[in-house]
Amino acid sequence: MEEPPPKEESNAPGGAQNPSNLFGGVDSISSLPDEMLHHIFSFVPTKVAITTSVLSKRWRHVWCKTPYLSFPHHKSSLESIHETLASYTAPKIMRFHLYVDRETSEASERSHFFFSNSSLKQLIVDSWNYMSPKCTVSWTSLQNLSLRNSSLDESFTKVLSGSPMLESLTLQSCSLSCLDLSESPRLRRLDLEFFNSSPRKCHIVAPHIHYLRMIDFTQKYSLVDVSSLIEANIDTIYFLPRFWCTQDDPSKDPSKHDYHVMMQTMLEKLQNVENLTVGLSFLQMLSIAEYSGVHFPTFKVKTLTLKTTILRSAVLGIAKLLQNSPELKKIVFYKTEDWNCSVEKYVNRYMEPQDPQDLIFPAKSAFKVAKPDLVASFMELLLRNTRKLEKLVLQLRSCLNISNYDELSQIALTLSHKNKVSIVLK
């Protein structure tokens, strides 16, 4: 009996299996063009990509030309990074991911190479605390900047002044006292997420932005100048409505007056926005503001997106927002999860029903399945408080089963003809 031929030995290190073994002896991966292989390398650390060079002659130099470099772990020493860059031959780097600890930061600070780069277009930094530049920043091509988990000091001013082409700025869980973007004339998009509540007040000056996303803010953040704003996505920290409506009388608790001022100022800064997206917590804050006598300006909103669930605490805020948006043409309603319904009882306890019809809407635990009578009442609420509405889109998603869809479709058809509004169920 003839013995089978011996298996071909591979000198590939662990984790660098020959690609022919992955497809039953057919090396399908190696036949791909370099561009496709580079795209595959973009999903793994550069150290892993380098190990493929031992597979065959075909793979020997592929990693050297990939436009994506990633050194994500603290085990990537400066020596190994320099050695890798010495063998790197790609004409342009499209994405560079580097884990920075204090040692790496101090080394980069000495050479200044990181803060002087004329080709860098997008930068994402998690914890700027290690990256505060003491030198002049020159990122003359930087367009998109994202910072996370950082305490921003005066060094951030150097970043802004050294990034004249900056178009988009994202700050997540960053602590700062003032965000002055008046000297960034090309900046059009500002994305703010305040997962950490900063003890300091923050004033936001952004006269050139067209789009603002402001999520989980507190009463400590105020919009000073957003005069060019045309689109906004706004929602508060989920516990803020509860905190506000459990405060004492303003004469006894000055912080309650701070909420009034905060909401009054924010509403004034949003009055020229044409595309507005709001979440449940912000709608609850609007309800409290309306009940407390906060003045609502006239808005220029043409498209309003409601990312909420149908709850009584949001009804007053929605109605007031609609009534003060005379040019509104389109409403999009996205049914969201009920993750902050615990706030509902505090808000409803604080506010007495303004209209007997408010009692139609649930005070707790929104629907898992879209009940036709509840959705119909909600549609009527929206239609009753608008003047020039042309289209209403309801994104009920998994809450809409087949039987309820048929019934809601008939209701929507009736309301559509009656109000001369196009109603779409999704």
Side-chain angles (χ1 to χ4, degrees):
M1 181 175 176
E2 185 177 353
E3 295 183 1
K7 289 186 178 181
E8 181 180 352
E9 295 185 0
S10 171
N11 59 353
Q17 185 178 2
N18 193 306
S20 63
N21 296 332
L22 300 177
F23 296 91
V26 180
D27 187 357
S28 301
I29 296 181
S30 294
S31 61
L32 296 174
D34 283 3
E35 292 76 12
M36 291 292 293
L37 297 177
H38 293 161
H39 181 70
I40 294 173
F41 286 163
S42 70
F43 295 97
V44 299
T46 298
K47 183 178 180 180
V48 175
I50 292 175
T51 61
T52 63
S53 63
V54 302
L55 297 177
S56 66
K57 291 182 179 180
R58 166 73 177 93
W59 289 82
R60 187 167 300 169
H61 301 292
V62 174
W63 79 267
C64 300
K65 294 182 171 60
T66 178
Y68 312 104
L69 290 178
S70 176
F71 306 96
H73 305 299
H74 65 278
K75 294 181 180 179
S76 299
S77 64
L78 284 175
E79 291 74 14
S80 64
I81 294 174
H82 284 307
E83 183 179 345
T84 299
L85 294 177
S87 303
Y88 188 66
T89 58
K92 182 183 295 186
I93 298 177
M94 301 298 293
R95 187 170 70 238
F96 187 86
H97 179 195
L98 174 64
Y99 175 92
V100 177
D101 56 15
R102 190 168 300 280
E103 178 186 358
T104 310
S105 174
E106 291 173 353
S108 63
E109 186 67 40
R110 287 194 297 271
S111 62
H112 296 177
F113 78 93
F114 179 74
F115 298 107
S116 181
N117 191 313
S118 61
S119 60
L120 182 66
K121 292 185 177 181
Q122 180 175 345
L123 176 63
I124 301 174
V125 179
D126 194 336
S127 184
W128 181 257
N129 302 340
Y130 284 151
M131 304 295 293
S132 300
K134 296 180 178 62
C135 59
T136 301
V137 176
S138 181
W139 289 333
T140 54
S141 297
L142 185 65
Q143 297 175 354
N144 304 309
L145 175 61
S146 177
L147 304 179
R148 303 168 183 163
N149 306 311
S150 304
S151 296
L152 303 181
D153 52 21
E154 63 278 359
S155 66
F156 188 59
T157 304
K158 295 182 180 180
V159 173
L160 295 175
S161 61
S163 308
M165 305 299 288
L166 192 64
E167 299 176 357
S168 175
L169 175 63
T170 299
L171 301 179
Q172 296 180 326
S173 299
C174 292
S175 174
L176 66 165
S177 58
C178 179
L179 181 61
D180 189 350
L181 303 172
S182 57
E183 300 301 320
S184 299
R186 291 178 174 268
L187 190 67
R188 295 293 180 265
R189 183 184 180 96
L190 178 60
D191 196 323
L192 303 173
E193 291 188 15
F194 301 105
F195 293 123
N196 296 335
S197 181
S198 170
R200 297 182 294 176
K201 290 185 177 181
C202 178
H203 301 285
I204 300 170
V205 182
H208 308 294
I209 64 170
H210 291 175
Y211 173 86
L212 170 66
R213 180 174 178 266
M214 194 170 175
I215 304 298
D216 284 351
F217 65 89
T218 71
Q219 81 280 11
K220 299 180 179 69
Y221 296 94
S222 62
L223 301 176
V224 177
D225 185 356
V226 286
S227 51
S228 299
L229 197 63
I230 58 176
E231 184 174 358
N233 184 344
I234 307 293
D235 202 10
T236 68
I237 290 178
Y238 76 93
F239 62 78
L240 201 56
R242 169 181 172 178
F243 186 72
W244 188 4
C245 63
T246 54
Q247 296 301 295
D248 296 324
D249 184 84
S251 60
K252 299 179 181 179
D253 188 353
S255 66
K256 191 166 187 177
H257 177 71
D258 292 342
Y259 287 111
H260 286 222
V261 173
M262 180 268 290
M263 288 301 296
Q264 180 74 66
T265 302
M266 176 162 290
L267 293 175
E268 291 174 354
K269 299 304 180 182
L270 295 176
Q271 62 182 323
N272 292 324
V273 169
E274 296 182 2
N275 299 309
L276 178 62
T277 299
V278 291
L280 174 58
S281 294
F282 188 69
L283 289 171
Q284 290 171 326
M285 290 291 287
L286 292 181
S287 294
I288 300 172
E290 167 64 2
Y291 183 80
S292 303
V294 173
H295 173 70
F296 278 62
T298 299
F299 300 100
K300 296 182 180 179
V301 178
K302 295 181 179 179
T303 299
L304 175 64
T305 300
L306 303 172
K307 291 188 174 181
T308 180
T309 189
I310 301 176
L311 284 173
R312 188 179 303 165
S313 61
V315 168
L316 187 59
I318 292 174
K320 187 63 177 180
L321 187 57
L322 297 178
Q323 293 165 9
N324 283 49
S325 303
E327 300 301 318
L328 187 62
K329 304 288 187 182
K330 181 180 179 181
I331 298 176
V332 180
F333 167 69
Y334 284 92
K335 168 66 173 69
T336 59
E337 298 299 324
D338 310 321
W339 54 273
N340 61 347
C341 287
S342 61
V343 175
E344 183 75 7
K345 62 180 180 181
Y346 293 94
V347 179
N348 290 326
R349 188 182 301 165
Y350 178 80
M351 301 186 303
E352 298 177 0
Q354 301 294 297
D355 189 317
Q357 284 195 328
D358 292 348
L359 298 176
I360 296 173
F361 301 103
K364 62 179 181 178
S365 182
F367 54 81
K368 299 299 181 182
V369 176
K371 297 180 180 179
D373 58 341
L374 175 60
V375 179
S377 297
F378 185 66
M379 287 191 287
E380 290 173 345
L381 168 74
L382 301 179
L383 297 172
R384 186 170 65 246
N385 289 282
T386 53
R387 306 176 193 176
K388 299 181 180 180
L389 192 66
E390 297 176 355
K391 189 171 186 178
L392 171 60
V393 180
L394 300 174
Q395 297 269 12
L396 300 174
R397 297 178 293 183
S398 60
C399 296
L400 198 60
N401 60 31
I402 296 176
S403 61
N404 286 346
Y405 178 81
D406 293 336
E407 186 174 351
L408 276 174
S409 295
Q410 291 301 315
I411 296 174
L413 187 61
T414 301
L415 292 174
S416 180
H417 288 311
K418 179 181 177 181
N419 296 274
K420 298 180 180 180
V421 174
S422 172
I423 301 178
V424 180
L425 299 177
K426 294 184 178 181

